[in-house]
Amino acid sequence: MRHYQQGGVLIVSLILLLILTIVGVSGMKMTSLEERMSGNYKDHEMAFQAAEAALVEAENFIENANLTTSDFYTDPACSGTNCFKSDCTGGSINGSGGGLCFTGDFAVSSEPVNSCEVDNSKPWEDMTRWATAGQVANASSLTDLAAEAKFIIEFRCFTVRDDSNASADPAVLAQWALLFRITALANGGTSDSRVMLQSTYKKLDF
């Protein structure tokens, strides 16, 4: 009888040891998974925050830059410092040279608002542009990123300065504001995490 009892204890012990091994291995896998999830979340948040910072920087550039309607002309073509060009090679922001885009037509006219036409191009969808020097602007130095955050600023013609003024005069620029679309692209701590954000910006004074 005692031999049977000892054999039963051994079997029970082995079963318990197997259960504890399974629980331990499962716990290790869960811990490893949680660590990867935390790392991915941190990486995504870094990319998101970097893209937001790039948007703010682009908005500040628009607000502080001394922009005039001649910066957007296609007929005659702009020749100034902050020219908005169809290939996004206009401007020189943070020394990166490029990032100012205008895919449309804008001719000198007595009614400038009516002479400005923007097409449906989406230059931010061309991923090769983001890797091409001189076609995007580099954001100010942000640490611990896999690559510099970048942005482009598109001129989208005009919008009414005062939303309550439904009958703004196309010949009176003071009744209108410049409209821009900003797109920012940023990586996190690794190239596996990438975030693209967009905003629209209305510049009242120019």
Side-chain angles (χ1 to χ4, degrees):
M1 177 69 68
R2 180 174 297 177
H3 292 296
Y4 288 124
Q5 289 176 343
Q6 290 176 344
V9 169
L10 177 62
I11 292 173
V12 171
S13 299
L14 290 173
I15 292 173
L16 290 175
L17 180 60
L18 177 61
I19 293 173
L20 290 174
T21 301
I22 293 173
V23 171
V25 170
S26 298
M28 291 175 61
K29 287 184 177 179
M30 184 63 68
T31 300
S32 178
L33 176 62
E34 289 177 350
E35 287 180 352
R36 290 199 300 270
M37 290 173 62
S38 298
N40 290 338
Y41 177 77
K42 177 183 177 181
D43 207 21
H44 178 269
E45 282 299 299
M46 288 177 62
F48 185 84
Q49 296 295 335
E52 278 200 325
L55 283 183
V56 171
E57 184 172 337
E59 291 172 356
N60 288 336
F61 170 81
I62 294 171
E63 188 60 33
N64 297 320
N66 183 25
L67 300 177
T68 66
T69 53
S70 62
D71 294 323
F72 316 109
Y73 285 151
T74 58
D75 182 19
C78 170
S79 60
T81 303
N82 291 319
C83 291
F84 284 67
K85 299 182 178 181
S86 60
D87 59 0
C88 301
T89 58
S92 179
I93 305 172
N94 295 329
S96 54
L100 302 183
C101 310
F102 176 48
T103 54
D105 296 300
F106 188 20
V108 176
S109 170
S110 59
E111 291 189 353
V113 173
N114 284 342
S115 73
C116 185
E117 296 180 357
V118 64
D119 61 25
N120 293 321
S121 297
K122 299 175 181 179
W124 41 271
E125 287 187 337
D126 182 4
M127 295 309 296
T128 60
R129 182 183 309 282
W130 295 99
T132 304
Q135 294 190 13
V136 292
N138 294 330
S140 296
S141 179
L142 298 172
T143 60
D144 300 325
L145 300 179
E148 289 182 295
K150 299 175 173 63
F151 61 85
I152 59 175
I153 302 172
E154 299 173 73
F155 176 55
R156 304 294 294 174
C157 287
F158 298 89
T159 185
V160 291
R161 181 187 177 92
D162 183 354
D163 293 335
S164 65
N165 183 10
S167 57
D169 188 343
V172 182
L173 279 177
Q175 297 180 14
W176 298 84
L178 303 175
L179 183 63
F180 299 90
R181 178 169 61 194
I182 306 167
T183 307
L185 180 67
N187 288 349
T190 68
S191 58
D192 294 331
S193 183
R194 179 179 291 178
V195 171
M196 180 180 284
L197 297 178
Q198 278 190 335
S199 68
T200 55
Y201 193 85
K202 181 177 179 180
K203 183 176 174 68
L204 301 179
D205 299 316
F206 59 95

